[in-house]
Amino acid sequence: MHYPWWYVPFLTSPMLIAGVSVFHVFVSMYAVGGGLFLAAETQYAYKTGNRAYLSYLKDHAWFFILITAVYGSITGVGIWWTIGLASPLATEALIHIFVFGWAMEYVFFVLEIASAFIFYYYWDRLSSKTHQTIGWIYGISAWISLVLITGITAFMLHPGNWPADQSFWSAFLNPQFLPQTIARTGGSLLLASLYVYMHAAFRLKDKSLQGLISTRSTKPGLLGAILVTVGGLWWFAALPESAKAALAAASVLNVLMVLIFLLTIVVFIMLYLGPFRNPGWITPGFAILLFTFGLAATGTGEFIREAVRKPFVVYDVVLSNQILPSEIPSLKKNGYLEGGVWTKAFIASYYPSALNPEGQINEAELLNLPQSERIKIGEVLFQYHCNDCHAAGDGYSAVGQVTRGWTPEMTLTLLRHLDQAHFFMPPFAGTDEEAMLLTDYIQSIAKPFPQGLPREN
Protein backbone atom coordinates (compact mmCIF):
# COMPACT_ATOMS: atom_id res chain seq x y z
CA MET A 1 0.00 0.00 0.00
CA HIS A 2 1.28 3.49 -0.80
CA TYR A 3 0.86 6.19 1.81
CA PRO A 4 -0.45 9.55 0.57
CA TRP A 5 2.35 11.68 -0.86
CA TRP A 6 3.43 15.04 0.49
CA TYR A 7 4.27 17.63 -2.15
CA VAL A 8 6.78 20.31 -1.13
CA PRO A 9 7.13 22.65 -4.11
CA PHE A 10 10.63 23.27 -5.49
CA LEU A 11 12.50 21.99 -2.40
CA THR A 12 11.01 18.45 -2.19
CA SER A 13 10.12 16.87 1.14
CA PRO A 14 13.44 14.98 1.64
CA MET A 15 15.38 18.21 1.33
CA LEU A 16 13.03 19.79 3.85
CA ILE A 17 13.87 16.92 6.21
CA ALA A 18 17.55 17.45 5.52
CA GLY A 19 17.25 21.15 6.35
CA VAL A 20 15.37 20.59 9.61
CA SER A 21 17.67 17.72 10.60
CA VAL A 22 20.90 19.61 9.99
CA PHE A 23 19.74 22.60 12.06
CA HIS A 24 18.66 20.18 14.80
CA VAL A 25 22.00 18.36 14.75
CA PHE A 26 23.85 21.65 15.21
CA VAL A 27 22.15 21.94 18.59
CA SER A 28 21.69 18.30 19.57
CA MET A 29 25.45 17.72 19.38
CA TYR A 30 25.98 20.78 21.55
CA ALA A 31 23.43 19.32 23.99
CA VAL A 32 25.72 16.31 24.44
CA GLY A 33 29.16 17.93 24.33
CA GLY A 34 28.00 21.00 26.22
CA GLY A 35 26.47 18.84 28.95
CA LEU A 36 29.73 16.94 29.45
CA PHE A 37 31.63 20.24 29.38
CA LEU A 38 29.42 21.81 32.05
CA ALA A 39 29.63 18.71 34.27
CA ALA A 40 33.42 18.50 34.03
CA GLU A 41 34.01 22.23 34.41
CA THR A 42 31.60 22.66 37.30
CA GLN A 43 33.44 19.87 39.09
CA TYR A 44 36.76 21.60 38.33
CA ALA A 45 35.49 24.99 39.54
CA TYR A 46 34.20 23.52 42.81
CA LYS A 47 37.45 21.62 43.32
CA THR A 48 39.62 24.72 42.78
CA GLY A 49 37.21 27.05 44.58
CA ASN A 50 37.10 29.35 41.55
CA ARG A 51 33.93 31.37 42.19
CA ALA A 52 34.42 33.57 39.11
CA TYR A 53 34.55 30.50 36.88
CA LEU A 54 31.46 29.07 38.61
CA SER A 55 29.65 32.33 37.95
CA TYR A 56 30.55 32.17 34.27
CA LEU A 57 29.44 28.52 34.08
CA LYS A 58 26.05 29.48 35.51
CA ASP A 59 25.73 32.16 32.85
CA HIS A 60 26.69 29.64 30.18
CA ALA A 61 24.22 27.07 31.59
CA TRP A 62 21.36 29.54 30.99
CA PHE A 63 22.47 29.98 27.37
CA PHE A 64 22.88 26.20 27.06
CA ILE A 65 19.37 25.43 28.33
CA LEU A 66 17.81 28.13 26.18
CA ILE A 67 19.43 26.75 23.02
CA THR A 68 19.18 23.01 23.67
CA ALA A 69 15.94 22.64 25.65
CA VAL A 70 13.90 25.21 23.71
CA TYR A 71 15.29 25.38 20.19
CA GLY A 72 16.45 21.75 20.25
CA SER A 73 13.07 20.47 21.43
CA ILE A 74 11.19 22.43 18.76
CA THR A 75 13.42 21.19 15.92
CA GLY A 76 13.36 17.66 17.36
CA VAL A 77 9.57 17.61 17.10
CA GLY A 78 9.95 19.18 13.66
CA ILE A 79 12.02 16.20 12.51
CA TRP A 80 9.33 13.75 13.60
CA TRP A 81 6.65 15.83 11.90
CA THR A 82 8.52 16.09 8.61
CA ILE A 83 9.73 12.47 8.41
CA GLY A 84 6.25 11.21 9.29
CA LEU A 85 4.80 13.12 6.37
CA ALA A 86 7.63 12.72 3.88
CA SER A 87 8.68 9.12 4.60
CA PRO A 88 5.76 7.43 6.35
CA LEU A 89 6.70 3.87 5.40
CA ALA A 90 10.29 4.32 6.53
CA THR A 91 9.09 5.89 9.78
CA GLU A 92 6.71 2.98 10.34
CA ALA A 93 9.51 0.47 9.71
CA LEU A 94 11.90 2.19 12.13
CA ILE A 95 9.23 2.37 14.86
CA HIS A 96 8.48 -1.35 14.52
CA ILE A 97 12.12 -2.42 14.44
CA PHE A 98 13.32 -0.10 17.22
CA VAL A 99 10.33 0.29 19.53
CA PHE A 100 12.50 -0.81 22.49
CA GLY A 101 15.25 1.60 21.43
CA TRP A 102 12.83 4.53 21.12
CA ALA A 103 11.43 3.74 24.56
CA MET A 104 14.91 3.79 26.09
CA GLU A 105 15.71 7.03 24.29
CA TYR A 106 12.58 8.73 25.66
CA VAL A 107 13.52 7.65 29.20
CA PHE A 108 16.96 9.22 28.89
CA PHE A 109 15.49 12.30 27.18
CA VAL A 110 13.18 12.91 30.15
CA LEU A 111 16.13 12.36 32.49
CA GLU A 112 18.11 14.90 30.47
CA ILE A 113 15.44 17.58 30.64
CA ALA A 114 14.75 17.08 34.36
CA SER A 115 18.44 17.09 35.34
CA ALA A 116 19.21 20.10 33.13
CA PHE A 117 16.54 22.22 34.82
CA ILE A 118 17.57 21.05 38.29
CA PHE A 119 21.22 21.75 37.44
CA TYR A 120 20.45 25.37 36.47
CA TYR A 121 17.48 26.41 38.60
CA TYR A 122 18.87 24.89 41.82
CA TRP A 123 22.31 26.42 41.32
CA ASP A 124 23.59 27.69 44.70
CA ARG A 125 20.77 25.84 46.48
CA LEU A 126 22.24 22.34 46.21
CA SER A 127 25.36 21.13 47.94
CA SER A 128 28.37 21.17 45.65
CA LYS A 129 28.49 17.37 45.61
CA THR A 130 24.81 17.04 44.67
CA HIS A 131 25.15 19.80 42.08
CA GLN A 132 28.09 18.01 40.45
CA THR A 133 26.21 14.72 40.50
CA ILE A 134 23.20 16.30 38.75
CA GLY A 135 25.54 17.75 36.13
CA TRP A 136 27.04 14.35 35.39
CA ILE A 137 23.58 12.74 35.30
CA TYR A 138 22.67 15.21 32.57
CA GLY A 139 25.94 14.77 30.63
CA ILE A 140 25.87 10.96 30.71
CA SER A 141 22.13 10.80 29.90
CA ALA A 142 22.65 13.07 26.91
CA TRP A 143 25.52 10.92 25.64
CA ILE A 144 23.47 7.73 26.05
CA SER A 145 20.68 9.40 24.04
CA LEU A 146 23.25 10.08 21.33
CA VAL A 147 24.31 6.43 21.37
CA LEU A 148 20.71 5.20 21.12
CA ILE A 149 19.77 7.55 18.29
CA THR A 150 23.00 6.76 16.45
CA GLY A 151 22.26 3.04 16.55
CA ILE A 152 18.95 3.73 14.78
CA THR A 153 20.23 6.24 12.21
CA ALA A 154 23.28 4.06 11.49
CA PHE A 155 20.90 1.17 10.75
CA MET A 156 19.40 3.29 7.97
CA LEU A 157 22.73 3.08 6.17
CA HIS A 158 23.67 -0.52 6.94
CA PRO A 159 21.17 -3.00 8.45
CA GLY A 160 23.83 -5.61 9.21
CA ASN A 161 22.35 -9.05 9.86
CA TRP A 162 18.85 -7.73 10.59
CA PRO A 163 17.33 -8.81 7.22
CA ALA A 164 18.35 -12.39 8.07
CA ASP A 165 17.51 -12.70 11.78
CA GLN A 166 15.17 -9.71 12.40
CA SER A 167 16.82 -9.25 15.82
CA PHE A 168 16.74 -5.88 17.61
CA TRP A 169 20.37 -6.20 18.63
CA SER A 170 21.47 -7.14 15.11
CA ALA A 171 19.76 -4.00 13.90
CA PHE A 172 21.13 -1.78 16.66
CA LEU A 173 24.70 -3.10 16.64
CA ASN A 174 25.00 -2.71 12.87
CA PRO A 175 28.36 -2.18 11.11
CA GLN A 176 27.87 1.60 11.07
CA PHE A 177 27.08 1.87 14.79
CA LEU A 178 30.57 2.24 16.26
CA PRO A 179 32.07 4.51 13.59
CA GLN A 180 29.11 6.86 13.70
CA THR A 181 29.06 6.86 17.51
CA ILE A 182 32.74 7.82 17.56
CA ALA A 183 32.27 10.52 14.93
CA ARG A 184 29.17 11.97 16.61
CA THR A 185 30.80 11.92 20.05
CA GLY A 186 33.76 13.75 18.54
CA GLY A 187 31.49 16.20 16.77
CA SER A 188 29.67 16.89 20.05
CA LEU A 189 32.89 17.66 21.91
CA LEU A 190 34.15 19.81 19.05
CA LEU A 191 30.93 21.79 18.62
CA ALA A 192 30.63 22.31 22.39
CA SER A 193 34.05 23.97 22.42
CA LEU A 194 33.04 26.26 19.57
CA TYR A 195 29.79 27.23 21.32
CA VAL A 196 31.79 27.99 24.49
CA TYR A 197 34.24 30.20 22.57
CA MET A 198 31.36 32.02 20.92
CA HIS A 199 29.57 32.61 24.21
CA ALA A 200 32.73 33.60 26.11
CA ALA A 201 33.87 35.95 23.35
CA PHE A 202 30.70 38.00 23.65
CA ARG A 203 29.91 37.64 27.37
CA LEU A 204 33.29 37.72 29.14
CA LYS A 205 35.45 40.78 29.69
CA ASP A 206 37.83 39.23 32.23
CA LYS A 207 40.93 38.32 30.21
CA SER A 208 42.33 35.90 32.79
CA LEU A 209 39.03 34.02 32.87
CA GLN A 210 38.95 34.00 29.07
CA GLY A 211 42.41 32.43 29.12
CA LEU A 212 41.29 29.76 31.58
CA ILE A 213 38.25 28.92 29.46
CA SER A 214 40.39 28.74 26.34
CA THR A 215 42.79 26.33 27.93
CA ARG A 216 40.11 24.20 29.55
CA SER A 217 37.79 23.90 26.54
CA THR A 218 40.33 23.48 23.75
CA LYS A 219 41.48 20.01 24.80
CA PRO A 220 38.03 18.38 24.37
CA GLY A 221 37.67 20.29 21.10
CA LEU A 222 40.96 18.91 19.78
CA LEU A 223 40.00 15.42 20.97
CA GLY A 224 36.66 15.87 19.19
CA ALA A 225 38.36 16.76 15.89
CA ILE A 226 40.50 13.60 16.15
CA LEU A 227 37.44 11.44 16.91
CA VAL A 228 35.55 12.95 13.97
CA THR A 229 38.44 12.07 11.65
CA VAL A 230 38.83 8.52 13.01
CA GLY A 231 35.08 7.89 12.99
CA GLY A 232 34.73 9.37 9.51
CA LEU A 233 37.42 7.13 8.03
CA TRP A 234 35.88 4.06 9.73
CA TRP A 235 32.44 5.17 8.49
CA PHE A 236 33.74 5.16 4.93
CA ALA A 237 35.40 1.75 5.33
CA ALA A 238 32.15 0.25 6.71
CA LEU A 239 29.91 1.60 3.94
CA PRO A 240 27.99 -0.91 1.78
CA GLU A 241 29.48 -1.26 -1.69
CA SER A 242 26.58 0.56 -3.34
CA ALA A 243 26.99 3.51 -0.99
CA LYS A 244 30.68 3.74 -1.87
CA ALA A 245 29.71 3.58 -5.54
CA ALA A 246 27.12 6.36 -5.05
CA LEU A 247 29.75 8.44 -3.32
CA ALA A 248 32.22 7.93 -6.16
CA ALA A 249 29.65 8.55 -8.90
CA ALA A 250 28.31 11.86 -7.61
CA SER A 251 30.78 14.67 -8.23
CA VAL A 252 29.11 16.94 -5.69
CA LEU A 253 29.60 14.29 -2.98
CA ASN A 254 33.27 13.97 -3.98
CA VAL A 255 33.68 17.70 -3.41
CA LEU A 256 31.80 17.57 -0.10
CA MET A 257 33.93 14.64 1.14
CA VAL A 258 37.09 16.64 0.50
CA LEU A 259 35.45 19.70 2.05
CA ILE A 260 34.51 17.97 5.31
CA PHE A 261 38.04 16.68 5.91
CA LEU A 262 39.57 20.05 4.98
CA LEU A 263 37.19 21.88 7.32
CA THR A 264 37.94 19.48 10.16
CA ILE A 265 41.69 19.95 9.65
CA VAL A 266 41.29 23.74 9.46
CA VAL A 267 39.25 23.79 12.68
CA PHE A 268 41.85 21.57 14.39
CA ILE A 269 44.68 23.90 13.34
CA MET A 270 42.72 27.00 14.36
CA LEU A 271 41.97 25.47 17.75
CA TYR A 272 45.60 24.54 18.31
CA LEU A 273 47.16 27.80 17.13
CA GLY A 274 44.34 29.92 18.54
CA PRO A 275 42.76 29.20 21.91
CA PHE A 276 45.20 26.41 22.88
CA ARG A 277 48.52 28.17 22.18
CA ASN A 278 47.28 31.77 22.27
CA PRO A 279 44.31 32.04 24.68
CA GLY A 280 44.07 35.80 24.07
CA TRP A 281 42.80 35.09 20.55
CA ILE A 282 39.25 34.69 21.84
CA THR A 283 37.67 37.57 19.99
CA PRO A 284 34.14 37.76 18.57
CA GLY A 285 35.47 37.67 14.98
CA PHE A 286 37.71 34.65 15.55
CA ALA A 287 34.96 32.83 17.48
CA ILE A 288 32.42 33.45 14.69
CA LEU A 289 34.86 32.19 12.04
CA LEU A 290 35.69 29.08 14.05
CA PHE A 291 32.02 28.45 14.80
CA THR A 292 31.07 28.83 11.12
CA PHE A 293 33.72 26.35 9.99
CA GLY A 294 32.57 23.89 12.66
CA LEU A 295 28.93 24.12 11.60
CA ALA A 296 29.91 23.81 7.93
CA ALA A 297 31.86 20.60 8.64
CA THR A 298 28.97 19.15 10.67
CA GLY A 299 26.32 20.07 8.10
CA THR A 300 28.41 18.66 5.25
CA GLY A 301 28.87 15.39 7.08
CA GLU A 302 25.15 15.06 7.75
CA PHE A 303 24.29 15.74 4.10
CA ILE A 304 26.73 13.10 2.86
CA ARG A 305 25.41 10.58 5.37
CA GLU A 306 21.89 11.07 4.02
CA ALA A 307 22.86 11.11 0.34
CA VAL A 308 24.74 7.82 0.10
CA ARG A 309 21.78 5.63 1.07
CA LYS A 310 20.25 5.75 -2.41
CA PRO A 311 18.32 3.94 -3.79
CA PHE A 312 17.11 3.22 -0.25
CA VAL A 313 15.88 5.49 2.50
CA VAL A 314 16.41 2.61 4.97
CA TYR A 315 19.10 0.48 3.41
CA ASP A 316 17.85 -2.85 2.10
CA VAL A 317 14.51 -2.31 3.90
CA VAL A 318 12.62 0.63 2.34
CA LEU A 319 13.33 2.17 -1.06
CA SER A 320 13.61 5.93 -1.42
CA ASN A 321 10.16 6.12 -3.04
CA GLN A 322 8.47 4.46 -0.04
CA ILE A 323 8.20 0.94 -1.47
CA LEU A 324 9.38 -2.28 0.11
CA PRO A 325 11.72 -4.20 -2.23
CA SER A 326 9.50 -7.26 -1.76
CA GLU A 327 6.51 -5.35 -3.22
CA ILE A 328 8.12 -4.67 -6.60
CA PRO A 329 7.28 -7.98 -8.39
CA SER A 330 3.62 -7.69 -7.42
CA LEU A 331 3.41 -4.02 -8.43
CA LYS A 332 5.08 -4.73 -11.76
CA LYS A 333 2.66 -7.56 -12.42
CA ASN A 334 -0.62 -6.08 -11.18
CA GLY A 335 0.09 -2.39 -11.54
CA TYR A 336 1.35 0.39 -9.28
CA LEU A 337 -2.04 2.13 -9.41
CA GLU A 338 -3.79 -1.11 -8.48
CA GLY A 339 -1.40 -1.72 -5.57
CA GLY A 340 -2.17 1.44 -3.62
CA VAL A 341 -5.34 2.34 -1.72
CA TRP A 342 -5.14 6.01 -2.70
CA THR A 343 -4.07 5.48 -6.30
CA LYS A 344 -6.81 2.97 -6.89
CA ALA A 345 -9.37 5.28 -5.25
CA PHE A 346 -8.23 8.07 -7.59
CA ILE A 347 -8.79 5.93 -10.68
CA ALA A 348 -12.12 4.63 -9.38
CA SER A 349 -13.30 8.15 -8.65
CA TYR A 350 -12.24 9.90 -11.87
CA TYR A 351 -12.12 7.06 -14.39
CA PRO A 352 -14.67 4.44 -13.26
CA SER A 353 -14.94 3.15 -16.83
CA ALA A 354 -11.35 1.90 -16.50
CA LEU A 355 -12.38 -0.66 -13.86
CA ASN A 356 -13.31 -4.17 -14.99
CA PRO A 357 -16.32 -6.05 -13.52
CA GLU A 358 -14.08 -7.42 -10.74
CA GLY A 359 -13.21 -3.86 -9.71
CA GLN A 360 -9.62 -4.07 -10.94
CA ILE A 361 -7.97 -1.35 -13.02
CA ASN A 362 -7.83 -2.15 -16.73
CA GLU A 363 -4.72 -0.23 -17.69
CA ALA A 364 -5.24 -0.71 -21.41
CA GLU A 365 -8.36 1.44 -20.99
CA LEU A 366 -6.27 4.21 -19.41
CA LEU A 367 -4.15 4.39 -22.57
CA ASN A 368 -7.32 5.03 -24.61
CA LEU A 369 -8.10 8.19 -22.64
CA PRO A 370 -7.43 11.64 -24.18
CA GLN A 371 -3.84 12.86 -23.88
CA SER A 372 -4.76 15.44 -21.23
CA GLU A 373 -6.23 12.70 -19.01
CA ARG A 374 -3.22 10.44 -19.57
CA ILE A 375 -1.02 13.29 -18.37
CA LYS A 376 -3.14 13.69 -15.22
CA ILE A 377 -2.75 10.02 -14.37
CA GLY A 378 0.96 10.26 -15.16
CA GLU A 379 1.22 13.13 -12.70
CA VAL A 380 -0.34 10.95 -9.99
CA LEU A 381 2.20 8.25 -10.77
CA PHE A 382 4.99 10.84 -10.59
CA GLN A 383 3.85 12.21 -7.22
CA TYR A 384 3.69 8.74 -5.66
CA HIS A 385 6.69 7.18 -7.38
CA CYS A 386 9.15 10.03 -8.00
CA ASN A 387 8.18 12.97 -5.75
CA ASP A 388 10.27 11.64 -2.85
CA CYS A 389 13.49 12.57 -4.65
CA HIS A 390 12.56 14.86 -7.53
CA ALA A 391 10.77 18.16 -8.01
CA ALA A 392 8.62 18.28 -11.15
CA GLY A 393 9.35 21.17 -13.51
CA ASP A 394 11.73 23.27 -11.40
CA GLY A 395 13.50 22.79 -8.11
CA TYR A 396 15.72 20.19 -6.48
CA SER A 397 16.75 17.50 -8.98
CA ALA A 398 13.80 18.54 -11.15
CA VAL A 399 12.79 15.95 -13.74
CA GLY A 400 11.71 18.72 -16.11
CA GLN A 401 15.29 19.99 -16.13
CA VAL A 402 17.16 16.68 -16.44
CA THR A 403 14.96 15.51 -19.34
CA ARG A 404 15.55 18.55 -21.56
CA GLY A 405 15.14 17.54 -25.16
CA TRP A 406 14.39 13.89 -24.44
CA THR A 407 12.14 12.10 -26.92
CA PRO A 408 9.23 9.98 -25.63
CA GLU A 409 11.18 6.87 -26.65
CA MET A 410 14.19 7.92 -24.57
CA THR A 411 12.02 8.62 -21.53
CA LEU A 412 10.14 5.33 -21.84
CA THR A 413 13.34 3.35 -22.29
CA LEU A 414 14.85 4.94 -19.19
CA LEU A 415 11.75 4.18 -17.12
CA ARG A 416 11.80 0.56 -18.22
CA HIS A 417 15.47 0.25 -17.16
CA LEU A 418 15.64 2.90 -14.43
CA ASP A 419 17.77 1.00 -11.92
CA GLN A 420 20.04 -0.36 -14.64
CA ALA A 421 20.68 3.09 -16.14
CA HIS A 422 21.24 4.65 -12.70
CA PHE A 423 22.13 2.14 -9.99
CA PHE A 424 21.31 4.70 -7.28
CA MET A 425 17.65 4.86 -8.37
CA PRO A 426 14.96 2.32 -7.47
CA PRO A 427 13.42 0.28 -10.30
CA PHE A 428 10.19 1.49 -11.85
CA ALA A 429 7.56 -0.46 -9.91
CA GLY A 430 4.75 -0.45 -12.44
CA THR A 431 3.47 -1.98 -15.63
CA ASP A 432 4.50 -1.01 -19.14
CA GLU A 433 1.20 0.87 -19.56
CA GLU A 434 1.97 2.90 -16.44
CA ALA A 435 5.44 3.65 -17.76
CA MET A 436 3.75 5.09 -20.88
CA LEU A 437 1.42 7.25 -18.77
CA LEU A 438 4.35 8.51 -16.72
CA THR A 439 6.23 9.21 -19.94
CA ASP A 440 3.32 11.40 -21.10
CA TYR A 441 3.54 13.46 -17.92
CA ILE A 442 7.33 13.79 -17.99
CA GLN A 443 7.18 14.90 -21.61
CA SER A 444 4.64 17.57 -20.63
CA ILE A 445 6.98 19.11 -18.02
CA ALA A 446 10.31 18.61 -19.83
CA LYS A 447 12.13 21.81 -20.70
CA PRO A 448 13.35 22.47 -24.26
CA PHE A 449 16.84 21.38 -25.27
CA PRO A 450 19.22 24.27 -24.48
CA GLN A 451 19.91 26.47 -27.47
CA GLY A 452 23.45 26.77 -28.78
CA LEU A 453 24.43 23.17 -28.08
CA PRO A 454 25.25 20.70 -30.87
CA ARG A 455 22.54 18.11 -31.32
CA GLU A 456 21.94 15.25 -33.75
CA ASN A 457 18.47 15.11 -35.32
Side-chain angles (χ1 to χ4, degrees):
M1 184 197 79
H2 324 307
Y3 280 97
W5 46 266
W6 186 33
Y7 176 61
V8 178
F10 195 81
L11 187 62
T12 72
S13 56
M15 289 306 292
L16 181 60
I17 293 176
V20 175
S21 301
V22 166
F23 282 106
H24 177 72
V25 165
F26 288 160
V27 170
S28 62
M29 284 191 170
Y30 172 46
V32 177
L36 293 171
F37 169 81
L38 282 170
E41 293 311 294
T42 303
Q43 182 174 319
Y44 171 79
Y46 277 122
K47 184 178 178 181
T48 56
N50 191 334
R51 304 305 301 179
Y53 193 27
L54 266 178
S55 177
Y56 168 74
L57 291 173
K58 183 179 181 182
D59 188 49
H60 189 90
W62 177 85
F63 169 77
F64 173 81
I65 288 177
L66 183 67
I67 296 291
T68 59
V70 179
Y71 174 87
S73 297
I74 292 171
T75 53
V77 172
I79 289 177
W80 274 105
W81 189 75
T82 48
I83 68 169
L85 288 174
S87 300
L89 184 61
T91 305
E92 176 192 328
L94 290 177
I95 289 173
H96 286 168
I97 296 167
F98 290 104
V99 64
F100 179 55
W102 293 120
M104 288 194 294
E105 201 278 331
Y106 287 143
V107 169
F108 283 101
F109 176 71
V110 170
L111 196 54
E112 272 183 67
I113 296 296
S115 55
F117 283 126
I118 293 171
F119 182 73
Y120 176 71
Y121 286 105
Y122 284 82
W123 200 294
D124 296 330
R125 286 191 278 174
L126 298 172
S127 69
S128 62
K129 186 176 180 182
T130 305
H131 195 212
Q132 293 171 56
T133 302
I134 294 294
W136 280 112
I137 288 175
Y138 173 83
I140 293 170
S141 299
W143 183 76
I144 292 175
S145 284
L146 176 148
V147 171
L148 292 168
I149 291 294
T150 301
I152 297 169
T153 55
F155 171 83
M156 295 174 71
L157 182 54
H158 200 318
N161 291 327
W162 181 84
D165 62 20
Q166 308 272 302
S167 157
F168 168 84
W169 291 109
S170 292
F172 187 77
L173 301 174
N174 60 78
Q176 280 284 325
F177 170 66
L178 280 178
Q180 290 199 26
T181 300
I182 291 172
R184 281 174 176 266
T185 300
S188 299
L189 295 175
L190 179 57
L191 272 186
S193 292
L194 305 189
Y195 273 98
V196 171
Y197 294 142
M198 177 77 85
H199 182 265
F202 283 93
R203 297 284 295 177
L204 265 183
K205 304 301 179 190
D206 185 333
K207 292 295 181 185
S208 63
L209 197 52
Q210 277 193 357
L212 174 65
I213 291 170
S214 297
T215 305
R216 294 288 304 173
S217 58
T218 300
K219 289 178 182 176
L222 292 172
L223 173 63
I226 294 171
L227 291 176
V228 167
T229 304
V230 172
L233 292 172
W234 191 358
W235 168 86
F236 179 78
L239 283 176
E241 283 305 311
S242 65
K244 287 181 181 174
L247 202 54
S251 54
V252 65
L253 295 183
N254 295 174
V255 173
L256 292 178
M257 278 291 287
V258 174
L259 184 64
I260 188 173
F261 281 105
L262 283 178
L263 285 170
T264 304
I265 292 169
V266 167
V267 169
F268 183 90
I269 293 172
M270 288 178 72
L271 280 173
Y272 181 75
L273 295 179
F276 187 68
R277 297 295 300 271
N278 301 280
W281 282 18
I282 287 191
T283 63
F286 187 80
I288 290 173
L289 187 64
L290 200 52
F291 187 69
T292 304
F293 283 162
L295 292 189
T298 304
T300 304
E302 291 299 311
F303 183 86
I304 294 172
R305 186 177 63 82
E306 293 288 324
V308 298
R309 291 202 301 264
K310 295 177 180 179
F312 297 98
V313 63
V314 179
Y315 199 88
D316 224 13
V317 178
V318 180
L319 288 159
S320 56
N321 53 1
Q322 300 298 302
I323 297 174
L324 299 174
S326 59
E327 290 181 294
I328 291 176
S330 169
L331 294 173
K332 277 183 169 293
K333 180 181 177 183
N334 302 318
Y336 186 86
L337 295 168
E338 178 72 30
V341 171
W342 307 98
T343 48
K344 187 167 182 179
F346 172 81
I347 297 297
S349 176
Y350 289 93
Y351 310 100
S353 61
L355 299 183
N356 63 25
E358 289 75 33
Q360 297 171 327
I361 298 173
N362 182 350
E363 296 188 340
E365 285 296 319
L366 298 178
L367 295 180
N368 292 328
L369 292 170
Q371 184 68 8
S372 60
E373 300 304 315
R374 289 173 52 139
I375 290 173
K376 286 181 183 176
I377 299 172
E379 183 179 10
V380 170
L381 284 165
F382 176 87
Q383 293 294 356
Y384 277 97
H385 201 289
C386 315
N387 166 60
D388 281 295
C389 297
H390 297 282
D394 295 291
Y396 178 74
S397 192
V399 168
Q401 295 288 350
V402 300
T403 57
R404 282 178 175 271
W406 285 21
T407 64
E409 292 74 21
M410 290 171 63
T411 306
L412 184 58
T413 301
L414 180 73
L415 288 174
R416 285 169 173 162
H417 307 285
L418 200 55
D419 54 323
Q420 295 163 306
H422 300 297
F423 67 88
F424 46 81
M425 293 185 72
F428 178 67
T431 63
D432 209 45
E433 290 84 355
E434 289 170 335
M436 293 178 193
L437 294 166
L438 183 54
T439 297
D440 290 340
Y441 173 68
I442 292 174
Q443 286 289 301
S444 74
I445 61 172
K447 307 293 182 184
F449 191 78
Q451 293 184 4
L453 294 178
R455 185 183 190 191
E456 294 183 4
N457 294 321

